Amino acid sequence: MAGTYDRSSEVKAFDEMKIGVKGLVDAGITQIPRIFHHPPHVTVPNPPKPSSTVVVIPTIDLGGGMLESAVTRESVVAKVRDAAEKFGFFQVINHGIPLDVMEKMKDGTRGFHEQDTEVKRGFYSRDITKKVKYNTNFDLYSSQAANWRDTLTTVMAPDVPKAEELPNICRKIFLEYSKQMMKLGELIFELLSEALGLETSHLKELDCAKSLSLLSHYYPPCPEPDRTFGISSHTDISFITILLQDHIGGLQVLHDGYWIDVLPNPKALIVNLGDLLQLISNDKFVSVEHRVLANRGEEPRISIASFFMHTIPNEQVYGPIKELVSTQNPPKYRDTTTTEMARHYLAKGLDGASPLLHFRI
Ligand code: OGA
Ligand code: NI
């Protein structure tokens, strides 16, 4: 295992090929390189929860994005509060985003990853300030074990990229999808503000809904799925993340000490709260660990994670919201910035202790 070979030179050799894990699969490998091996105690399948009913994350109907009547809105806010406190995850249906936009977004992502290697290579980068980049694992050099996943990352707001800055094959749908995400993001931040007992616009005024990055993931079939992950266990750094996943499955969320499956639903979008929201809510809402198992099927798995968080560098300061703290409930975190958090995240790599601990008072 780690330590018995020169891991860093093997990581570098893989990275410098700029072909992604998809490139390894295309080359016909039947065993995965050892840089992808996770320790055996991490990859053992977890026992299912010993309970007669299967636990699932809450589903919330957003009524097409129009929550005009106070009664409906109040009941939706109550559901959001419950989910945000107990699961850190929920899925939304009737969210107002047309199904064909969701389908085209998955197609566009797949199109990017399945196009000619030479075209993709032009986007390959690890520069954290770059607004459009493609690579395998943002934490490839800092994590203990790599994951079986390639990602195209595009910053879409507040500065909307010029069409020509985006990859040709997916630019149109990325711009359209982002417009829709910004709208849905606003509604969800309004509901979360109300769920915290704050003014409807509170989180929007803190600029939580202002910045959007898309992480367009491609999880190729993995020849040895029991030795690695698609994404190892982690929490998101964002305020919130809105996830679109395809029909393959593999996403799991930690709940009450057990991993529960988030089963694909073609009409739903999954919302999870990130570390920044847990920090500003002073732990009222939770940012929960989740992971994706390595793809054991024959088709690639596609997902698009819309991260609401500021682009690096950004010096805006965040700490527990004043209205949510008191002498009985003092601030649990010191002030920080997205940039400081992102640096800490990158240095640490996914998996292991919550990055939030570093900011606790
Ligand atoms: C992420 C993430 C899950 C998925 O991008 O942070 O958890 O299903 N993605 O791709
Ligand atoms: Ni995540």
Side-chain angles (χ1 to χ4, degrees):
M1 271 314 304
T4 61
Y5 69 99
D6 184 1
R7 177 176 172 81
S8 57
S9 66
E10 291 187 22
V11 164
K12 191 156 176 278
F14 166 69
D15 199 31
E16 284 175 353
M17 288 195 289
K18 305 184 177 184
I19 60 168
V21 286
K22 177 170 190 303
L24 299 178
V25 173
D26 291 346
I29 57 149
T30 54
Q31 291 184 316
I32 63 173
R34 55 191 164 177
I35 60 169
F36 293 94
H37 292 180
H38 287 245
H41 71 273
V42 184
T43 50
V44 287
N46 294 66
K49 192 172 169 136
S51 131
S52 53
T53 51
V54 176
V55 182
V56 293
I57 61 168
T59 297
I60 301 177
D61 188 332
L62 293 182
M66 313 279 185
L67 297 169
E68 248 106 66
S69 101
V71 183
T72 320
R73 192 161 179 117
E74 235 169 72
S75 75
V76 169
V77 168
K79 285 182 193 147
V80 167
R81 182 186 304 115
D82 198 58
E85 289 174 356
K86 298 197 181 117
F87 283 84
F89 264 80
F90 53 95
Q91 65 173 11
V92 291
I93 52 169
N94 278 321
H95 41 61
I97 301 196
L99 255 187
D100 74 299
V101 170
M102 291 165 60
E103 289 305 316
K104 284 193 190 126
M105 188 61 198
K106 287 179 278 182
D107 291 346
T109 296
R110 185 174 178 141
F112 173 82
H113 288 281
E114 292 185 351
Q115 71 189 321
D116 198 85
T117 307
E118 278 316 308
V119 180
K120 274 197 296 185
R121 235 186 216 137
F123 293 97
Y124 202 93
S125 171
R126 296 191 175 278
D127 179 349
I128 60 166
T129 63
K130 241 187 154 133
K131 304 232 165 143
V132 177
K133 61 173 173 275
Y134 144 74
N135 62 39
T136 298
N137 298 195
F138 78 95
D139 59 346
L140 186 68
Y141 287 91
S142 52
S143 64
Q144 301 292 310
N147 288 319
W148 206 251
R149 171 187 94 257
D150 298 330
T151 305
L152 168 65
T153 304
T154 51
V155 174
M156 305 303 291
D159 301 321
V160 179
K162 295 195 197 76
E164 60 271 23
E165 293 173 279
L166 293 166
N168 192 18
I169 196 160
C170 55
R171 60 175 55 143
K172 198 159 163 254
I173 186 62
F174 273 37
L175 289 165
E176 171 63 20
Y177 186 76
S178 299
K179 237 191 262 172
Q180 302 269 355
M181 273 297 119
M182 293 300 282
K183 208 166 74 182
L184 179 61
E186 287 219 357
L187 172 63
I188 291 172
F189 281 111
E190 286 181 4
L191 298 171
L192 287 166
S193 301
E194 292 177 34
L196 286 167
L198 302 167
E199 290 294 326
T200 305
S201 61
H202 199 114
L203 292 174
K204 282 199 287 185
E205 280 165 17
L206 290 177
D207 289 340
C208 299
K210 189 176 159 189
S211 305
L212 173 69
S213 293
L214 301 180
L215 273 59
S216 302
H217 300 303
Y218 187 90
Y219 301 83
C222 181
E224 293 183 285
D226 298 322
R227 302 193 95 155
T228 190
F229 284 97
I231 297 192
S232 44
S233 172
H234 69 283
T235 54
D236 291 355
I237 186 177
S238 54
F239 293 107
I240 66 165
T241 304
I242 303 180
L243 182 82
L244 166 60
Q245 68 163 337
D246 72 3
H247 58 286
I248 303 282
L251 174 63
Q252 298 184 322
V253 176
L254 198 60
H255 181 69
D256 276 350
Y258 290 93
W259 289 103
I260 60 173
D261 293 315
V262 180
L263 298 175
N265 173 342
K267 294 186 178 160
L269 289 162
I270 298 147
V271 179
N272 68 286
L273 315 188
D275 292 342
L276 277 159
L277 195 62
Q278 177 167 339
L279 184 143
I280 64 173
S281 76
N282 207 35
D283 283 353
K284 177 127 170 72
F285 287 170
V286 289
S287 170
V288 167
E289 281 176 50
H290 52 285
R291 66 183 189 184
V292 177
L293 302 179
N295 184 357
R296 54 181 63 248
E298 300 197 339
E299 296 173 71
R301 175 178 187 268
I302 311 290
S303 70
I304 298 93
S306 297
F307 271 57
F308 284 84
M309 64 176 272
H310 296 303
T311 316
I312 315 301
N314 181 291
E315 297 311 319
Q316 209 160 331
V317 174
Y318 287 93
I321 293 171
K322 305 270 173 303
E323 287 80 350
L324 301 178
V325 299
S326 62
T327 35
Q328 288 78 38
N329 181 26
K332 295 188 167 82
Y333 299 97
R334 63 176 175 85
D335 287 352
T336 184
T337 62
T338 309
T339 304
E340 191 193 7
M341 277 185 90
R343 291 236 161 81
H344 175 62
Y345 230 85
L346 186 64
K348 209 182 106 346
L350 295 182
D351 220 349
S354 161
L356 267 182
L357 291 176
H358 183 74
F359 301 93
R360 260 191 117 86
I361 292 173

